[in-house]
Amino acid sequence: MHQRILETAEAIAARYLDTIASRHVGATATRAQLLSALGGSLPHGSSDPVAVLEQLALHADPGLVASAGPRYFGFVTGGAVPVTVGADWIASAWDQNAALYVSSPAIGVIEDVVAGWLLEILALPRTAGVGFVTGCHMANFTCLAAARHEVLRRAGWNVETQGLQRAPRLRVIAGGEVHVSAVGALRFLGIGSDEVERIPVDGQGRMRADALESALAGGAAPTIVCAQAGNVSTGATDPLDAIVDSARRHGAWVHVDGAFGLWAAAVPELKAQVAGIEKADSWATDAHKWLNVPYDSGLAIVADAAPQRAAMNLAASYLQRGADEERNGMDWVPESSRRSRALALYALVRTLGRDGIADLVRRNCRLARRIADRLSAADGVSILNEVVLNQVLARFEATPGRSADEVTREVIARVQAEGTCWAGGAFWQNKQAMRIAVSNWSTTEADIDRSADAILRCYQQVRAS
Ligand SMILES: *Cc1c(COP(=O)(O)O)cnc(C)c1O
């Protein structure tokens, strides 16, 4: 029974992954087509599970996006190193509840082991708390909840029992280019988006440390500073060393949103970009972006584990707990019953090792520079950012009758429809740009060259049209 179903799934998955590099990268079906193929009335009786899987794969196929493939440059999207797909299948088969040690001692230990390895790779304090969450958004939430707990505790207030409504006023300071996810996480925590004080940024989107220092000097309330490693458009990192020093002097907590940029810390020649990062109080990052494990996977890391546990911990008489060293995964995250996300990470670190992970990040940065060079060598194309990491912002010149914004938007639409690669758009300092993020483990120089050729071909067609 199991075997027949799992073999079907294996065949579908292998066929997909074996051909992913030759697919049209974007989806090709319309919503109406997908709805008519996949929808229909509610089934009342049963069907053969093998047929269900085969039909599902057949009908969903034209609506799939080859975002796990080598020429998908949209948002900041990783693929999945093959061993992590295998580990993720095993996670489903074992179907462990990673909430409590007693509900899966193996997963409890694996989370501890992976936490230690990742802290070592990132050169963060080895005693930090690590929560395995769904993504950087929840990692931001977890870390900022710990921050809120601690800065209010120092002001004599227990936010977990006394709430926020009559608490001492909390200041939250972020760069003008703070990611929307950090602002969203703060909203869940009772901090409105208009309450976040925005610090001016430089031309690459980095928070200005001198402006932060003035802001901190101008007020004494319990304060959280939200810094960023890896701007989602430019890849630039805030001057963390100066930010942490300034925050320390004023007793503020420093949280770093490092969804992808944190991984610069794993590469010796990129480390200078995140200098001082280890002195921050908390770090949020993704594993499903640059670490190339399947969705969903993120890490919430807090230097002092106590406020993280104070903010996340739940107690009930039936939640059976053992010895202190036995890890209950739910103590570190805003979830109770949960998936064994650490399994894919365990398999990744075992397979690639520290050097392999550094090499993955390093290779993507080199390929980002390659596509930036290929594009900017062409007439009428400019690169708007300093390509320091894996992010590239390309802009296409105005033509008679069309502004550069319009031309750039048309090129993006053509590239998406053409299907060799996929890149999205973004506004950078009021200019429309094509945003190219190179984050996939399997991307090669040949993929970059093919993609650059396709983008330039689309640009020529827009110019000629
Ligand atoms: C992607 C991203 C997030 C949100 O992460 P999810 O994986 O979507 O939860 C937060 N911050 C930055 C800088 C990001 O790039």
Side-chain angles (χ1 to χ4, degrees), residues 75-76 134-140 177-182 228-232 257-261 284-289 295 297-298 435:
F75 312 97
V76 184
T134 52
C136 193
H137 193 44
M138 275 302 112
N140 277 327
E177 275 282 322
V178 61
H179 192 273
V180 61
S181 156
Q228 181 165 256
N231 177 287
V232 82
D257 176 352
F260 58 98
T285 192
D286 263 316
H288 55 224
K289 286 181 180 169
Y295 291 106
S297 188
R435 187 159 154 274

Short mmCIF file of all heavy atoms in Angstrom, two decimals, residues 75-76 134-140 177-182 228-232 257-261 284-289 295 297-298 435, ligand 1:
data_model
loop_
_atom_site.label_atom_id
_atom_site.label_comp_id
_atom_site.label_asym_id
_atom_site.label_seq_id
_atom_site.Cartn_x
_atom_site.Cartn_y
_atom_site.Cartn_z
N PHE A 75 12.26 37.32 -6.55
CA PHE A 75 12.31 37.55 -5.10
C PHE A 75 13.70 37.18 -4.59
O PHE A 75 14.67 37.56 -5.21
CB PHE A 75 11.16 36.79 -4.42
CG PHE A 75 9.85 37.04 -5.15
CD1 PHE A 75 9.37 36.14 -6.10
CD2 PHE A 75 9.17 38.24 -4.96
CE1 PHE A 75 8.21 36.42 -6.82
CE2 PHE A 75 8.00 38.52 -5.69
CZ PHE A 75 7.53 37.61 -6.61
N VAL A 76 13.81 36.44 -3.51
CA VAL A 76 15.09 35.81 -3.16
C VAL A 76 14.69 34.38 -2.86
O VAL A 76 14.11 34.11 -1.81
CB VAL A 76 15.76 36.45 -1.94
CG1 VAL A 76 17.13 35.81 -1.70
CG2 VAL A 76 15.89 37.96 -2.11
N THR A 134 9.02 28.74 10.49
CA THR A 134 8.60 28.53 9.09
C THR A 134 9.37 29.39 8.10
O THR A 134 9.39 29.10 6.91
CB THR A 134 7.11 28.85 8.93
OG1 THR A 134 6.88 30.16 9.47
CG2 THR A 134 6.25 27.84 9.65
N GLY A 135 9.94 30.50 8.55
CA GLY A 135 10.64 31.38 7.63
C GLY A 135 11.13 32.60 8.38
O GLY A 135 10.95 32.71 9.60
N CYS A 136 11.72 33.53 7.65
CA CYS A 136 12.31 34.69 8.31
C CYS A 136 11.24 35.58 8.93
O CYS A 136 11.49 36.27 9.91
CB CYS A 136 13.18 35.46 7.33
SG CYS A 136 14.21 36.67 8.16
N HIS A 137 10.06 35.57 8.35
CA HIS A 137 8.99 36.39 8.91
C HIS A 137 8.69 35.96 10.36
O HIS A 137 8.67 36.78 11.28
CB HIS A 137 7.75 36.27 8.03
CG HIS A 137 6.69 37.28 8.32
ND1 HIS A 137 6.97 38.61 8.52
CD2 HIS A 137 5.35 37.15 8.42
CE1 HIS A 137 5.82 39.25 8.76
NE2 HIS A 137 4.84 38.39 8.71
N MET A 138 8.52 34.67 10.56
CA MET A 138 8.28 34.16 11.90
C MET A 138 9.54 34.26 12.77
O MET A 138 9.45 34.37 13.99
CB MET A 138 7.78 32.71 11.85
CG MET A 138 6.29 32.61 11.64
SD MET A 138 5.37 33.48 12.95
CE MET A 138 4.67 34.82 12.03
N ALA A 139 10.70 34.22 12.12
CA ALA A 139 11.94 34.39 12.88
C ALA A 139 12.02 35.83 13.40
O ALA A 139 12.38 36.07 14.55
CB ALA A 139 13.14 34.07 12.00
N ASN A 140 11.65 36.80 12.53
CA ASN A 140 11.60 38.18 13.00
C ASN A 140 10.63 38.31 14.18
O ASN A 140 10.93 38.95 15.18
CB ASN A 140 11.14 39.11 11.86
CG ASN A 140 12.29 39.51 10.93
OD1 ASN A 140 13.43 39.65 11.37
ND2 ASN A 140 11.99 39.70 9.66
N GLU A 177 14.99 51.48 5.01
CA GLU A 177 14.82 50.36 4.09
C GLU A 177 14.48 49.06 4.83
O GLU A 177 14.71 47.98 4.30
CB GLU A 177 16.09 50.17 3.27
CG GLU A 177 16.16 51.07 2.06
CD GLU A 177 15.28 50.56 0.91
OE1 GLU A 177 15.21 49.35 0.70
OE2 GLU A 177 14.66 51.39 0.24
N VAL A 178 13.95 49.18 6.06
CA VAL A 178 13.57 47.97 6.81
C VAL A 178 12.64 47.10 5.96
O VAL A 178 11.79 47.61 5.24
CB VAL A 178 12.91 48.36 8.16
CG1 VAL A 178 11.66 49.17 7.94
CG2 VAL A 178 12.60 47.13 9.01
N HIS A 179 12.81 45.79 6.02
CA HIS A 179 11.97 44.88 5.23
C HIS A 179 10.56 44.87 5.82
O HIS A 179 10.37 44.94 7.04
CB HIS A 179 12.56 43.48 5.27
CG HIS A 179 11.95 42.53 4.29
ND1 HIS A 179 10.83 41.79 4.57
CD2 HIS A 179 12.29 42.21 3.02
CE1 HIS A 179 10.51 41.05 3.51
NE2 HIS A 179 11.39 41.28 2.56
N VAL A 180 9.60 44.74 4.95
CA VAL A 180 8.19 44.77 5.34
C VAL A 180 7.87 43.66 6.35
O VAL A 180 6.98 43.81 7.20
CB VAL A 180 7.32 44.66 4.06
CG1 VAL A 180 7.57 43.36 3.32
CG2 VAL A 180 5.86 44.84 4.35
N SER A 181 8.63 42.59 6.31
CA SER A 181 8.41 41.49 7.24
C SER A 181 8.68 41.90 8.69
O SER A 181 7.95 41.50 9.60
CB SER A 181 9.30 40.30 6.85
OG SER A 181 9.53 39.47 7.95
N ALA A 182 9.73 42.69 8.91
CA ALA A 182 10.04 43.11 10.28
C ALA A 182 8.93 44.03 10.79
O ALA A 182 8.52 43.95 11.95
CB ALA A 182 11.40 43.81 10.32
N GLN A 228 19.60 45.44 9.49
CA GLN A 228 19.38 44.52 8.38
C GLN A 228 20.71 44.04 7.79
O GLN A 228 21.61 44.84 7.56
CB GLN A 228 18.58 45.27 7.32
CG GLN A 228 18.24 44.48 6.08
CD GLN A 228 17.16 45.19 5.27
OE1 GLN A 228 16.00 44.80 5.28
NE2 GLN A 228 17.53 46.23 4.57
N ALA A 229 20.80 42.75 7.54
CA ALA A 229 21.94 42.21 6.80
C ALA A 229 21.37 41.70 5.48
O ALA A 229 20.64 40.72 5.44
CB ALA A 229 22.60 41.07 7.57
N GLY A 230 21.66 42.40 4.40
CA GLY A 230 21.15 41.98 3.09
C GLY A 230 19.86 42.71 2.73
O GLY A 230 18.77 42.21 2.98
N ASN A 231 20.00 43.89 2.14
CA ASN A 231 18.83 44.61 1.64
C ASN A 231 18.23 43.82 0.48
O ASN A 231 18.95 43.32 -0.38
CB ASN A 231 19.26 46.01 1.17
CG ASN A 231 18.12 46.79 0.58
OD1 ASN A 231 17.67 46.52 -0.53
ND2 ASN A 231 17.63 47.77 1.31
N VAL A 232 16.91 43.72 0.50
CA VAL A 232 16.23 42.83 -0.43
C VAL A 232 16.38 43.29 -1.89
O VAL A 232 16.20 42.50 -2.81
CB VAL A 232 14.76 42.69 0.03
CG1 VAL A 232 13.91 43.83 -0.45
CG2 VAL A 232 14.20 41.34 -0.32
N ASP A 257 17.69 41.54 10.91
CA ASP A 257 16.96 40.76 9.91
C ASP A 257 17.97 40.39 8.83
O ASP A 257 18.39 41.23 8.04
CB ASP A 257 15.82 41.61 9.33
CG ASP A 257 15.06 40.88 8.21
OD1 ASP A 257 15.51 39.80 7.78
OD2 ASP A 257 14.03 41.41 7.76
N GLY A 258 18.33 39.12 8.83
CA GLY A 258 19.35 38.66 7.87
C GLY A 258 18.82 37.50 7.05
O GLY A 258 19.46 36.45 6.95
N ALA A 259 17.66 37.67 6.48
CA ALA A 259 16.95 36.59 5.79
C ALA A 259 17.88 35.82 4.85
O ALA A 259 17.92 34.60 4.86
CB ALA A 259 15.76 37.13 5.02
N PHE A 260 18.64 36.57 4.06
CA PHE A 260 19.66 35.89 3.24
C PHE A 260 21.06 36.43 3.55
O PHE A 260 22.03 35.69 3.55
CB PHE A 260 19.35 35.99 1.74
CG PHE A 260 19.21 37.39 1.22
CD1 PHE A 260 20.28 38.00 0.59
CD2 PHE A 260 18.05 38.11 1.40
CE1 PHE A 260 20.17 39.31 0.13
CE2 PHE A 260 17.94 39.43 0.96
CZ PHE A 260 19.00 40.02 0.32
N GLY A 261 21.14 37.73 3.91
CA GLY A 261 22.44 38.36 4.10
C GLY A 261 23.25 37.78 5.24
O GLY A 261 24.48 37.88 5.25
N ALA A 284 17.46 36.95 12.70
CA ALA A 284 16.44 36.16 12.00
C ALA A 284 16.98 35.82 10.62
O ALA A 284 17.56 36.68 9.94
CB ALA A 284 15.16 36.99 11.86
N THR A 285 16.79 34.58 10.21
CA THR A 285 17.24 34.22 8.87
C THR A 285 16.37 33.12 8.29
O THR A 285 15.56 32.52 8.98
CB THR A 285 18.73 33.82 8.86
OG1 THR A 285 19.19 33.76 7.50
CG2 THR A 285 18.96 32.47 9.51
N ASP A 286 16.55 32.93 6.99
CA ASP A 286 15.83 31.89 6.27
C ASP A 286 16.75 30.73 5.97
O ASP A 286 17.95 30.93 5.73
CB ASP A 286 15.33 32.44 4.92
CG ASP A 286 13.90 32.88 4.98
OD1 ASP A 286 13.08 32.14 5.57
OD2 ASP A 286 13.58 33.95 4.45
N ALA A 287 16.20 29.54 5.93
CA ALA A 287 16.95 28.40 5.39
C ALA A 287 16.42 28.08 4.00
O ALA A 287 17.16 27.58 3.16
CB ALA A 287 16.84 27.20 6.32
N HIS A 288 15.14 28.39 3.73
CA HIS A 288 14.60 28.05 2.40
C HIS A 288 15.05 29.04 1.32
O HIS A 288 14.78 28.82 0.15
CB HIS A 288 13.08 27.90 2.43
CG HIS A 288 12.31 29.07 2.97
ND1 HIS A 288 11.26 28.92 3.83
CD2 HIS A 288 12.43 30.39 2.77
CE1 HIS A 288 10.77 30.11 4.13
NE2 HIS A 288 11.46 31.01 3.51
N LYS A 289 15.72 30.12 1.68
CA LYS A 289 16.29 30.98 0.64
C LYS A 289 17.70 30.46 0.32
O LYS A 289 17.85 29.54 -0.47
CB LYS A 289 16.31 32.45 1.10
CG LYS A 289 14.91 33.07 1.08
CD LYS A 289 14.91 34.53 1.51
CE LYS A 289 13.49 35.11 1.46
NZ LYS A 289 13.43 36.43 2.12
N TYR A 295 10.77 24.54 1.31
CA TYR A 295 9.89 25.31 2.21
C TYR A 295 9.29 24.34 3.20
O TYR A 295 9.05 23.18 2.87
CB TYR A 295 8.74 25.96 1.42
CG TYR A 295 9.23 27.06 0.53
CD1 TYR A 295 9.29 26.87 -0.84
CD2 TYR A 295 9.62 28.28 1.07
CE1 TYR A 295 9.76 27.89 -1.66
CE2 TYR A 295 10.08 29.30 0.24
CZ TYR A 295 10.15 29.10 -1.11
OH TYR A 295 10.62 30.10 -1.92
N SER A 297 11.25 26.91 6.05
CA SER A 297 12.31 26.76 7.03
C SER A 297 13.02 28.07 7.32
O SER A 297 13.58 28.69 6.41
CB SER A 297 13.30 25.71 6.52
OG SER A 297 14.25 25.40 7.51
N GLY A 298 12.99 28.49 8.56
CA GLY A 298 13.71 29.69 8.98
C GLY A 298 14.29 29.47 10.37
O GLY A 298 13.96 28.48 11.04
N ARG A 435 14.73 43.05 -10.95
CA ARG A 435 15.45 42.57 -9.77
C ARG A 435 15.85 41.12 -9.98
O ARG A 435 15.00 40.26 -10.21
CB ARG A 435 14.51 42.71 -8.57
CG ARG A 435 15.09 42.43 -7.26
CD ARG A 435 14.19 43.11 -6.21
NE ARG A 435 14.30 42.44 -4.94
CZ ARG A 435 13.56 41.39 -4.61
NH1 ARG A 435 12.67 40.90 -5.42
NH2 ARG A 435 13.72 40.83 -3.45
C1 LIG B 1 12.36 37.08 2.55
C2 LIG B 1 12.66 38.06 3.62
C3 LIG B 1 11.92 38.08 4.81
C4 LIG B 1 10.73 37.19 5.04
O1 LIG B 1 11.09 35.85 4.99
P1 LIG B 1 10.05 34.68 4.66
O2 LIG B 1 10.94 33.57 4.32
O3 LIG B 1 9.22 35.14 3.50
O4 LIG B 1 9.25 34.45 5.89
C5 LIG B 1 12.31 38.97 5.79
N1 LIG B 1 13.33 39.80 5.61
C6 LIG B 1 14.07 39.83 4.47
C7 LIG B 1 15.21 40.79 4.35
C8 LIG B 1 13.74 38.97 3.43
O5 LIG B 1 14.47 38.98 2.30
#
